[in-house]
Structures are given as structure tokens and as C-alpha cells.
């Protein structure tokens, strides 16, 4: 695996010079509007220096916008609605979730507007901002009775890499259940990785979202992929043990393919440091001064 390091946005915004390398911008939903603009300025500064830089903060689609675009352009069959915009579903069931962060579903399946209104009120009552709430139409299909499968494909620059699946007895297939899929589905999972299955089908979702690095989580419904989100900062672990040996074999193959994709975008080691345009640092200092002028509610 190519050597990697990470910078916080706070560190980047206060830097005059940074290491020469390949830069990948991630986690845009954790940034405020001001930080997002500074990130976009830093992205342009690094690009101007001739570096390989992925994920332009000024144009990458975040969760709600991505799902709305995928629906409008005919990729996804399910719809999403903004609570803050006063949008209400015209079909059910639906569920409630956040537009930012990775907290999963805020509700079970809701069958009508009354149930949805109650779920929204409950979340706002807990302090979740209304502008954070989105309504998602249910769109999933069991791979067999009582078992759901969430698939995943990464994009690393120009390369697509299929990843391991998540198998779960709940339609909210998030963390998986150990060994639940059985030999036949784990064998199929290995073939998914070996054959680069679904990669060509999923690439357009990244193009629609203008995302150059990330992991698309999706399911198959009536033979068509349905993308639920694209995570620009996915967790990438190593499967150490599993009751089915073929899963470990599949994970090793994924790791090899992912490392090869990273090598394709890798920038050779260099002691040279690249200057960040002074406008980024100046604007960050201006923001710091503004934040210390007592503009707080106490």
C-alpha cells in the first residue's frame, strides 16, 4: 500500500507550505460553509502547483443532492425529500435520516404522513436541526428470505474497485452479521470482487455526483443497482478472521486491487513542500478574529 498521511482541515488552512503528494479531499458534510470554501481554495492551490488532487470541495455532491440527482437522471428509482423545504412524500413507506454524518436511519419504515410527522417531531425534540432531516423512499430487495445484502464499489481516480458486501437480517444493512450469508453467497461475493462486477454500472453515479474518490453503497433491486450514498471518507479495514475462509480470500483480493488503484494516483516521494496560496491563510485568520469577538449565545 502506498505511504499515506492525513491532514486535518484546520491544519491545512493554517499552513503556508504542505508536502508534495497526492491529495484527496473528504468528509465535506462535516464542514461549515466557510470551511468548505476554504477547502475549495486550497484544492485549487494544490492543483495549480501541478499535484494530483481528487474531490473538488466546490462541486462534490453531498448526500441529499446526490440522491436527488440520481433520481432525476434516472439512475435511482427511489426519491428523497427535504424536511426543511417542506417537501412531503407522495408514496410510502419511507424512513428518516440525516443529510450529514453517518448515523444510519432515524426511524423504522413509516407507512403514512402521520407516522412521518411523529418521527420528525421526535427528532427535532431531541435537538436534531430540521435542516438536517431528509426523508428517503424505501427501496431494498432481500437477496433471499430474511437476508439483505448491501454491496460496495470504490472509485480511486479513474479506477473502480469492488469491495466486500454487508449481509444482515434487517433492511438496514449497515454493520453486518457474522457468517449469516452462508457459503453460496460468500462464494458469490468473491466472484464479485474477482470479476469487477457492477463497477461499470456504478461509475455513472460517481460521475453524476462529481466524486473522484469514495465508496458507493448500493443494493440490487429488480436487477438494477440503487445507490444509497457515496462516502468520501470510508473506513477501510482488514478482515483478520471469519468462519468462511473464502471471505478472507475475497478481502485480500480487494486489498490488492485497492492498493494497485492507489499506486496509480501516487505521487513519488519528495522532500519538496508546496506553497498554499496566501489567500487561504489570510481568510482563515480573518475568520479566527471574527470568532473571538464574542459572537456567542451563552
Amino acid at each position: 500500500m502506498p505511504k499515506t498521511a492525513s491532514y486535518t482541515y484546520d491544519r491545512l488552512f493554517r499552513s503556508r507550505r504542505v508536502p508534495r503528494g497526492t491529495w484527496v479531499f473528504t468528509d465535506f458534510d462535516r464542514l461549515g460553509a466557510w470551511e468548505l470554501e476554504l477547502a475549495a481554495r486550497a484544492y485549487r492551490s494544490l492543483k495549480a502547483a501541478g499535484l494530483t488532487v481528487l474531490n473538488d470541495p466546490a462541486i462534490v455532491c453531498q448526500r441529499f443532492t446526490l440522491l436527488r440527482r440520481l433520481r432525476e437522471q434516472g439512475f435511482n428509482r427511489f426519491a428523497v425529500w427535504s424536511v426543511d423545504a417542506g417537501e412531503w412524500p407522495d408514496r410510502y413507506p419511507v424512513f428518516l435520516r440525516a443529510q450529514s454524518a453517518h448515523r444510519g436511519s432515524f426511524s423504522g419504515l413509516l407507512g403514512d404522513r402521520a407516522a412521518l410527522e411523529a418521527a420528525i417531531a421526535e427528532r427535532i425534540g431531541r435537538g436534531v436541526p430540521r435542516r438536517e432531516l431528509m426523508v428517503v423512499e424505501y427501496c431494498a430487495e432481500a437477496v433471499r428470505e430474511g437476508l439483505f445484502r448491501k454491496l460496495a464499489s470504490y472509485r480511486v481516480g479513474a479506477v473502480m474497485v469492488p469491495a466486500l458486501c454487508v449481509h444482515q437480517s434487517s433492511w438496514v444493512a449497515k454493520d453486518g452479521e457474522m457468517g449469516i450469508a452462508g457459503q453460496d453467497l460468500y462464494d458469490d461475493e468473491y466472484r464479485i470482487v474477482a470479476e469487477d462486477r457492477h463497477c461499470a454500472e456504478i461509475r455513472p453515479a460517481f460521475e453524476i455526483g462529481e466524486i473522484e474518490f469514495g465508496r458507493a453503497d448500493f443494493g440490487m433491486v429488480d436487477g438494477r443497482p440503487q445507490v444509497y450514498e457515496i462516502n468520501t471518507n470510508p473506513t477501510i479495514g482488514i478482515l483478520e478472521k471469519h468462519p468462511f475462509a473464502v471471505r478472507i480470500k475475497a478481502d485480500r483480493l480487494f486489498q490488492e486491487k485497492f492498493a494497485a488503484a492507489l499506486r496509480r494516483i501516487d505521487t513519488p516521494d519528495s522532500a519538496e513542500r508546496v506553497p498554499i496560496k496566501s489567500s487561504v491563510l489570510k481568510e482563515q485568520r480573518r475568520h479566527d478574529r471574527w470568532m473571538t469577538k464574542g459572537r456567542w449565545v451563552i
Side-chain angles (χ1 to χ4, degrees):
M1 191 79 76
K3 184 173 68 176
T4 61
S6 60
Y7 260 61
T8 64
Y9 281 107
D10 186 64
R11 180 183 179 189
L12 175 63
F13 297 159
R14 289 172 170 80
S15 297
R16 293 183 182 276
R17 305 180 74 84
V18 297
R20 174 172 288 278
T22 298
W23 287 77
V24 181
F25 284 73
T26 68
D27 268 347
F28 306 108
D29 60 341
R30 300 177 189 270
L31 300 180
W34 183 248
E35 295 168 314
L36 196 60
E37 183 174 336
L38 286 181
R41 294 188 187 193
Y43 170 96
R44 282 152 177 76
S45 183
L46 294 168
K47 287 280 283 189
L51 302 185
T52 298
V53 193
L54 303 183
N55 288 348
D56 183 350
I59 63 173
V60 162
C61 286
Q62 297 183 44
R63 182 177 294 140
F64 180 83
T65 303
L66 172 68
L67 294 180
R68 178 62 62 87
R69 279 195 190 180
L70 290 174
R71 165 70 175 179
E72 290 174 346
Q73 297 192 32
F75 187 98
N76 279 349
R77 60 189 286 178
F78 67 93
V80 292
W81 298 270
S82 166
V83 173
D84 199 38
E87 299 174 349
W88 294 97
D90 53 6
R91 53 192 175 275
Y92 292 85
V94 299
F95 61 94
L96 195 63
R97 71 169 305 181
Q99 294 200 36
S100 304
H102 301 281
R103 294 184 280 181
S105 174
F106 278 160
S107 73
L109 293 181
L110 307 168
D112 53 39
R113 179 161 172 169
L116 176 57
E117 288 179 338
I120 292 170
E122 188 270 338
R123 280 294 149 175
I124 292 176
R126 291 190 182 194
V128 178
R130 184 169 57 189
R131 71 178 185 181
E132 267 295 294
L133 296 175
M134 61 186 287
V135 181
V136 185
E137 181 183 1
Y138 174 73
C139 184
E141 181 179 278
V143 67
R144 68 183 186 212
E145 186 175 357
L147 181 65
F148 291 83
R149 167 187 265 185
K150 182 178 72 175
L151 299 103
S153 289
Y154 288 80
R155 181 180 182 181
V156 184
V159 179
M160 297 291 297
V161 182
L164 270 60
C165 307
V166 172
H167 298 96
Q168 202 154 334
S169 56
S170 166
W171 64 272
V172 185
K174 183 173 176 61
D175 299 316
E177 297 174 44
M178 180 69 76
I180 193 172
Q183 188 70 53
D184 58 336
L185 287 179
Y186 290 131
D187 286 343
D188 183 61
E189 177 183 56
Y190 177 81
R191 291 191 292 270
I192 288 173
V193 178
E195 299 166 1
D196 293 335
R197 194 188 303 171
H198 305 306
C199 285
E201 295 174 281
I202 296 300
R203 179 184 290 275
F206 284 92
E207 300 291 350
I208 290 169
E210 301 183 88
I211 299 170
E212 299 167 306
F213 178 92
R215 185 193 70 215
D217 295 332
F218 63 99
M220 299 299 294
V221 179
D222 293 333
R224 288 179 50 193
Q226 300 295 297
V227 170
Y228 303 129
E229 72 174 324
I230 297 180
N231 185 347
T232 59
N233 190 19
T235 299
I236 304 170
I238 297 176
L239 188 63
E240 299 286 355
K241 58 182 180 180
H242 195 273
F244 291 85
V246 70
R247 270 220 109 191
I248 298 175
K249 182 181 177 183
D251 185 62
R252 288 176 179 168
L253 181 57
F254 159 71
Q255 298 289 343
E256 292 170 5
K257 290 190 171 194
F258 190 73
L262 290 179
R263 283 192 289 271
R264 287 189 59 171
I265 63 167
D266 195 25
T267 299
D269 288 341
S270 172
E272 180 187 0
R273 296 180 72 82
V274 176
I276 293 290
K277 288 183 179 179
S278 60
S279 62
V280 176
L281 182 59
K282 286 179 180 178
E283 294 297 342
Q284 180 60 50
R285 286 175 174 171
R286 182 181 302 171
H287 183 258
D288 289 344
R289 288 195 297 271
W290 185 88
M291 292 295 287
T292 58
K293 289 183 179 179
R295 299 172 187 263
W296 306 98
V297 176
I298 297 177

